[in-house]
Amino acid sequence: QSVLTQPPSASGTPGQRVTISCSGSSSNIGSNTVNWYQQLPGTAPKLLIYSNNQRPSGVPDRFSGSKSGTSASLAISGLQSEDEADYYCAAWDDSLIWVFGGGTKLTVL
Amino acid sequence: QVTLRESGPALVKPTQTLTLTCTFSGFSLSTSGMCVSWIRQPPGKALEWLALIDWDDDKYYSTSLKTRLTISKDTSKNQVVLTMTNMDPVDTATYYCARTNWGTYYFDYWGQGTLVTVSS
């Protein structure tokens, strides 16, 4: 049972915009920044969004993040087939632990 | 160029102790704010954070696993070691090490992971 709550699955057709939610509490998302990771099949997770809405160098601007209160969202616009992956949110918790979401499997139809 | 690489046994028996080593390059764990964490992922399941050690040798552990985990570092060798006692088949997972920093609060570099299977 993951501390952060994500929908187990999401889908969209090429070109569409898809959003993935991540719900937490006042001790994690409510008081610390949120990060998103993309995990392609058979590979290690890769940092996708940090500090709620910042993209590391090399991440396309089709990916964007936002945070409001104790929830965060990842949006992917102009969906492409190579975006098919698992997506995880994560945040530091004030109880001095890192917490992850349960992951969302994105399918490009 | 920052790299991390996990190493350890691919197979351990139930009740045994697992020892994993993360060997890294491109940064120093003696740099103020620098941290290395261990994170695992059972097959087909979600990521689970296990432990973190920082530049000042402060250590943090998963609430549910802290009685079984020990994290340590050897700064001179650029290595972080995780031991997990009393291994069980449910501990079968890919174990990753990843870098983070108290100033940034994200895992920016990950190792490729090492699959550990617990079976008799």
Side-chain angles (χ1 to χ4, degrees):
Chain A
Q1 190 82 359
S2 300
V3 173
L4 305 181
T5 301
Q6 298 180 236
S9 64
S11 63
T13 57
Q16 270 192 330
R17 183 176 186 269
V18 171
T19 61
I20 297 171
S21 62
C22 175
S23 177
S25 68
S26 58
S27 64
N28 40 66
I29 293 179
S31 53
N32 297 294
T33 59
V34 177
N35 309 311
W36 291 90
Y37 300 89
Q38 178 192 58
Q39 187 176 33
L40 298 170
T43 68
K46 166 193 159 186
L47 180 65
L48 192 66
I49 296 287
Y50 67 93
S51 299
N52 303 327
N53 55 18
Q54 301 298 302
R55 282 177 287 105
S57 173
V59 173
D61 60 6
R62 303 185 294 104
F63 295 90
S64 62
S66 64
K67 185 183 104 167
S68 178
T70 59
S71 293
S73 290
L74 172 71
I76 309 171
S77 60
L79 198 61
Q80 298 181 6
S81 58
E82 59 258 37
D83 299 333
E84 191 159 285
D86 293 327
Y87 293 85
Y88 293 91
C89 57
W92 178 248
D93 191 284
D94 291 344
S95 61
L96 307 184
I97 60 172
W98 276 97
V99 291
F100 281 93
T104 298
K105 183 177 185 60
L106 175 63
T107 301
V108 181
L109 302 169
Chain B
Q1 180 190 1
V2 173
T3 65
L4 302 98
R5 186 183 77 250
E6 306 87 352
S7 59
L11 179 67
V12 297
K13 296 184 187 318
T15 75
Q16 286 187 334
T17 294
L18 171 68
T19 299
L20 295 173
T21 301
C22 175
T23 303
F24 56 86
S25 63
F27 67 98
S28 173
L29 203 40
S30 61
T31 299
S32 178
M34 202 63 70
C35 314
V36 171
S37 270
W38 284 94
I39 296 152
R40 72 177 180 180
Q41 184 174 38
K45 296 191 177 181
L47 299 169
E48 178 184 22
W49 175 78
L50 299 176
L52 177 151
I53 190 166
D54 72 11
W55 64 282
D56 204 24
D57 210 36
D58 289 323
K59 301 160 188 175
Y60 303 83
Y61 295 102
S62 160
T63 306
S64 60
L65 292 168
K66 62 182 175 182
T67 60
R68 300 172 53 205
L69 297 173
T70 303
I71 192 169
S72 62
K73 64 181 174 71
D74 185 331
T75 305
S76 65
K77 293 183 179 179
N78 282 350
Q79 290 182 333
V80 171
V81 174
L82 180 77
T83 63
M84 180 179 291
T85 62
N86 195 23
M87 293 292 285
D88 183 273
V90 300
D91 296 313
T92 294
T94 296
Y95 288 75
Y96 297 98
C97 59
R99 186 184 83 160
T100 186
N101 187 299
W102 286 130
T104 57
Y105 285 92
Y106 52 79
F107 301 109
D108 55 357
Y109 290 93
W110 295 64
Q112 84 279 9
T114 187
L115 175 62
V116 178
T117 300
V118 184
S119 174
S120 54

